[in-house]
């Protein structure tokens, strides 16, 4: 919950805007400001104070406990010009809250946390338990000193400016190790613990067995991702409470699923009790991985619990990102977030140049020229399979005549794939022209490099006969100058010469140009590969210089009657 505190009418007005925008996230604290701050500090995870920073400093100073316990605090000035992350920038989420508040109120977020200020991913913001010399390693990263990454397990980290050797070290491991001098240890959640238990097994027995198994195998409890068991034990109190105390989810599988998992130590007892020859080992292995601790029983007599431990390496992550038509303000926030998250960026060189300034320090860039789409797709998938966080970029929407298709054709289920939509060239051009896509429409590429012309012509003819608005991609190049006239001729068999046609070149870019013409007047020689051509249907009209296709055909009848 976010506590909101204000002292003046201007502050209250801004406070109420936040409360209205986030009704489920916020609570307004009224009354004397000092009492309101003290109460909210004790009750909320975050505070937004519409007060001077000095006043808030004096009010919260006696309340501070430590960076992992204190709420995040953001201050907004009386004029609503700045949203200042005052306390708990990382641990309390105040840095991100300042950005959110700034977006909502039109205020400038002020973030002074060192890593954020230079756009480095803070070690305490990666979502992983971290221990050791976090401050020293972070300072070395900020100072540009050599920091080595020792990755003992694969995990998709965001970009970090690391090297193979250095005086400081980031160690990525699920092993039970103490951080060395000048070393920060990150604990990825790679361990799955399968658990079986008799009815009424005490939580102390289940939890003690799990902890002992991990410790004796030299594994860190901080890297446990989940407890897993059979459906029949989903409500078993000892297992449920053990998962709660470990702070991990309890995942269950049907006996049929577990019976299909090959395990080294099957048994008749669980087969008779719950219908599968293995619970602990099978539940841990059902998602694949390396069995580190085979089934073992608790030390109690009689033993009421069993467990097994599997290392399930982190899956690589491939984000296929659409950059939009070119303008920075048409690049979506989600696309920006994925670019900042990726440790490896793969893309066409000219697209990389568009967003190079958005990448975090340490991002590895793999760029290539025109005509290497399949190679880029293979490269991106290969990097993801190494456990990397990869962004594969394309213009417009990556799923429309772009990189998503070849990438997904290469990818299998051994990596995570995320699609990030972008504004397509057809949509950008449509917005410039007016509303040409107001009814059914289709996009057709006239490039026959990958599709036989016979197939393209059949699709154009079908669109013409169905009276569908058509947007032509890749309409004409120096080596392909006859396809557009041919396609326009097919449309002309079913539409009058007065049919509106919109021509947009470099939509949303600085050298953007557009014009509205007709099917009879369009000169194909004025079109190139940077152009999108939109041909209206029989209902499309030129209204005040704008291309408009009505949502229904009643308007068409009215227009024809008026003529």
């Amino acid at each position: 919950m976010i506590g909101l505190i204000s002292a003046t009418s201007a502050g209250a007005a801004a406070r109420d805007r936040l409360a209205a925008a986030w009704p489920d996230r916020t609570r307004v604290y009224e009354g004397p400001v000092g009492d309101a701050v003290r109460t909210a500090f004790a009750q909320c995870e975050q505070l937004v104070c519409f007060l001077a920073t000095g006043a808030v400093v004096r009010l919260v100073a006696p309340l501070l406990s430590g960076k992992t316990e204190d709420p995040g605090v953001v201050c907004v000035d009386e004029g609503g010009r700045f949203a200042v992350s005052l306390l708990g920038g990382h641990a309390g989420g105040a840095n991100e809250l300042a950005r959110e508040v700034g977006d909502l109120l039109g205020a400038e977020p002020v973030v002074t946390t060192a890593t954020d200020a230079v756009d480095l991913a803070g070690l305490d913001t990666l979502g992983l338990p971290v221990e050791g010399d976090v401050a020293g390693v972070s300072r070395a990263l900020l100072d540009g000193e050599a920091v080595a990454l020792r990755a003992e397990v694969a995990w998709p980290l965001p970009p970090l400016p690391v090297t193979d050797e250095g005086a400081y070290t980031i160690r990525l491991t699920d092993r039970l190790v103490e951080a060395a001098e000048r070393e920060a240890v990150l604990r990825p959640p790679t361990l799955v613990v399968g658990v079986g238990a008799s009815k009424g097994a005490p939580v102390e027995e289940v939890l003690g067995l799990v902890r002992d198994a991990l410790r004796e195998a030299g594994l860190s409890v901080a890297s446990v991702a989940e407890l897993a068991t059979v459906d029949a034990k989903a409500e078993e109190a000892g297992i449920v409470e053990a998962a709660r105390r470990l702070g991990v989810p309890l995942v269950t599988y049907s006996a049929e699923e577990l019976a299909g998992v090959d395990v080294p130590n099957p048994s008749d007892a669980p087969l008779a009790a719950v219908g599968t020859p293995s619970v602990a080992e099978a539940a841990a292995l059902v998602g694949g991985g390396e069995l580190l601790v085979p089934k073992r029983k608790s030390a109690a007599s009689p033993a009421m619990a069993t467990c097994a431990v599997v290392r399930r390496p982190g899956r690589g992550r491939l984000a296929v990102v659409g950059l939009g038509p070119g303008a920075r303000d048409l690049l979506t926030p989600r696309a920006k977030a994925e670019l900042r998250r990726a440790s490896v960026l793969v893309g066409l060189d000219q697209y990389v140049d568009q967003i190079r300034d958005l990448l975090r320090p340490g991002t590895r860039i793999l760029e290539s020229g025109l005509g290497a789409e399949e190679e880029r797709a293979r490269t991106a998938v290969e990097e993801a399979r190494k456990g990397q966080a990869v962004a594969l970029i394309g213009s417009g929407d990556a799923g429309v005549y772009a990189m998503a298709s070849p990438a997904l054709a290469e990818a299998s289920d051994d990596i995570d794939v995320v699609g990030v939509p972008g504004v397509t060239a057809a949509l950008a051009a449509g917005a410039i022209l007016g509303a040409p896509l107001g009814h059914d429409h289709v996009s057709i590429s006239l490039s026959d490099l990958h599709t036989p012309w016979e197939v393209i012509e059949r699709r154009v003819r079908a669109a013409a006969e169905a009276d569908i608005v058509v947007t032509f991609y890749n309409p004409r190049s120096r080596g392909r100058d006859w396809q557009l006239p041919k396609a326009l001729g097919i449309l002309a068999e079913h539409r009058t010469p007065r049919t509106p046609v919109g021509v947009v070149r470099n939509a949303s870019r600085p050298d953007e140009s557009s014009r509205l013409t007709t099917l009879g007047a369009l000169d194909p020689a004025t079109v190139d590969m940077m152009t999108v051509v939109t041909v209206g249907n029989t209902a499309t009209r030129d209204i005040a210089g704008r291309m408009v296709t009505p949502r229904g055909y009643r308007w068409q009848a009215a227009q024809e009657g008026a003529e």
Side-chain angles (χ1 to χ4, degrees):
M1 186 62 65
I2 303 172
L4 306 179
I5 301 104
S6 63
T8 66
S9 57
R15 175 203 67 192
D16 292 344
R17 286 177 61 191
L18 281 190
W22 300 335
D24 298 327
R25 297 177 60 191
T26 58
R27 180 187 303 162
V28 173
Y29 285 81
E30 304 278 8
V33 169
D35 294 341
V37 169
R38 284 186 288 272
T39 303
F41 199 92
Q43 295 178 348
C44 298
E45 292 82 19
Q46 295 175 319
L47 280 69
V48 179
C49 299
F50 297 87
L51 306 165
T53 55
V56 178
V57 167
R58 287 189 292 272
L59 288 170
V60 303
L63 311 175
L64 301 181
S65 298
K67 67 181 297 182
T68 59
E69 295 85 21
D70 296 331
V73 179
V74 171
C75 290
V76 179
D77 67 289
E78 182 74 5
R81 296 173 299 169
F82 303 104
V84 182
S85 174
L86 184 69
L87 178 69
H90 285 167
N95 291 350
E96 183 57 33
L97 180 59
R99 297 184 182 101
E100 289 187 86
V101 171
D103 286 342
L104 188 61
L105 300 181
E108 179 73 22
V110 179
V111 176
T112 58
T113 307
T115 50
D116 290 65
V118 296
D119 207 22
L120 278 176
L123 297 180
D124 54 352
T125 68
L126 304 182
L128 304 178
V130 59
E131 57 196 60
D133 188 12
V134 179
V137 174
S138 298
R139 187 165 48 250
L141 289 170
L142 289 167
D143 290 343
E145 297 187 44
V147 177
L149 175 63
R150 292 177 55 192
E152 298 176 8
V153 292
W155 196 261
L157 293 175
L160 294 167
V162 293
T163 61
D164 293 332
E165 300 290 338
Y168 293 82
T169 304
I170 298 171
R171 187 174 182 181
L172 185 70
T173 183
D174 56 15
R175 307 297 302 180
L176 186 61
V177 295
E178 293 289 334
E181 184 180 1
R182 295 185 172 185
E183 181 177 71
V185 177
L186 292 171
R187 305 285 190 189
T190 56
L191 304 178
V192 178
V193 180
V195 178
S198 303
K199 185 175 178 59
V203 61
E204 289 77 13
E205 183 173 344
V206 176
L207 193 58
L209 171 63
V210 171
R211 293 186 184 278
D212 289 347
L214 292 167
R215 184 181 64 255
E216 292 172 21
L219 299 170
S220 171
V221 69
S223 283
V224 174
E226 62 190 44
L227 294 193
T229 191
V230 66
D231 283 348
K233 296 297 178 179
E235 304 297 328
E236 187 64 49
I239 296 178
V240 172
E241 179 62 15
R244 190 193 69 80
R245 293 190 190 180
L246 289 170
V248 299
L250 176 62
V251 179
T252 63
Y253 301 96
S254 69
E256 183 180 7
E257 286 180 278
L258 297 186
V261 179
D262 187 27
V263 298
N265 299 294
S267 172
D268 292 335
L271 180 62
V274 294
T276 172
S278 172
V279 173
E281 286 182 341
L285 283 167
V286 70
E290 177 188 4
L291 183 63
L292 302 179
V293 179
K295 182 181 72 175
R296 58 178 288 173
K297 297 181 179 179
S298 57
S301 184
M304 299 184 72
T306 61
C307 83
V309 182
V310 164
R311 174 182 288 137
R312 192 181 296 170
R315 291 163 61 89
R317 188 175 191 277
L318 173 61
V320 187
V321 181
L323 301 180
R328 179 58 59 86
D329 58 354
L330 292 182
L331 178 67
T332 68
R334 187 179 301 181
K336 291 179 183 178
E338 289 294 346
L339 294 175
R340 290 167 52 79
R341 177 174 181 166
S343 58
V344 179
L345 182 86
V346 181
L348 179 66
D349 47 14
Q350 63 190 56
Y351 297 152
V352 171
D353 289 341
Q354 289 180 20
I355 48 83
R356 198 182 297 271
D357 62 302
L358 297 177
L359 304 178
R360 278 181 157 160
T363 304
R364 185 156 57 96
I365 300 173
L366 304 176
E367 55 188 314
S368 53
L370 285 168
E373 289 84 359
E374 288 80 7
E375 179 186 343
R376 284 194 292 275
R378 284 193 295 270
T379 297
V381 172
E382 288 168 3
E383 290 294 329
R385 285 183 175 140
K386 296 175 185 177
Q388 302 286 347
V390 182
L392 175 62
I393 59 173
S395 66
D397 184 288
V400 179
Y401 301 122
M403 294 304 303
S405 294
L408 269 60
E410 292 284 340
S412 53
D413 62 359
D414 57 347
I415 61 173
D416 294 325
V417 178
V418 178
V420 182
V423 178
T424 68
L427 295 178
I432 294 165
L433 294 170
L437 309 182
H439 206 294
D440 297 336
H441 53 274
V442 62
S443 295
I444 298 177
S445 171
L446 294 183
S447 172
D448 55 3
L449 296 177
H450 301 287
T451 306
W453 174 253
E454 293 76 14
V455 175
I456 297 172
E457 182 174 337
R458 188 165 65 246
R459 292 170 180 172
V460 174
R461 195 170 298 281
E465 293 173 352
D467 197 29
I468 296 175
V469 175
V470 182
T471 297
F472 288 123
Y473 280 70
N474 306 312
R476 184 178 182 273
S477 68
R478 282 176 292 183
R480 294 186 301 100
D481 59 2
W482 60 267
Q483 287 89 342
L484 179 58
K486 178 68 174 176
L488 295 174
I490 294 172
L491 291 176
E493 295 173 12
H494 300 270
R495 302 176 196 184
T496 72
R498 295 181 301 166
T499 301
V501 175
V503 180
V504 180
R505 188 177 190 278
N506 283 333
S508 87
R509 299 185 181 184
D511 56 346
E512 168 192 300
S513 63
S514 65
R515 68 184 188 278
L516 185 56
T517 182
T518 65
L519 187 56
L522 175 62
D523 179 4
T526 63
V527 173
D528 63 12
M529 286 289 287
M530 305 304 293
T531 305
V532 172
V533 178
T534 301
V535 182
N537 65 12
T538 57
T540 305
R541 294 290 182 269
D542 177 345
I543 300 177
R546 301 182 185 92
M547 187 176 177
V548 181
T549 302
R551 295 183 61 187
Y553 276 75
R554 285 179 294 180
W555 183 28
Q556 180 186 14
Q559 289 281 334
E560 290 172 348
E563 293 174 357

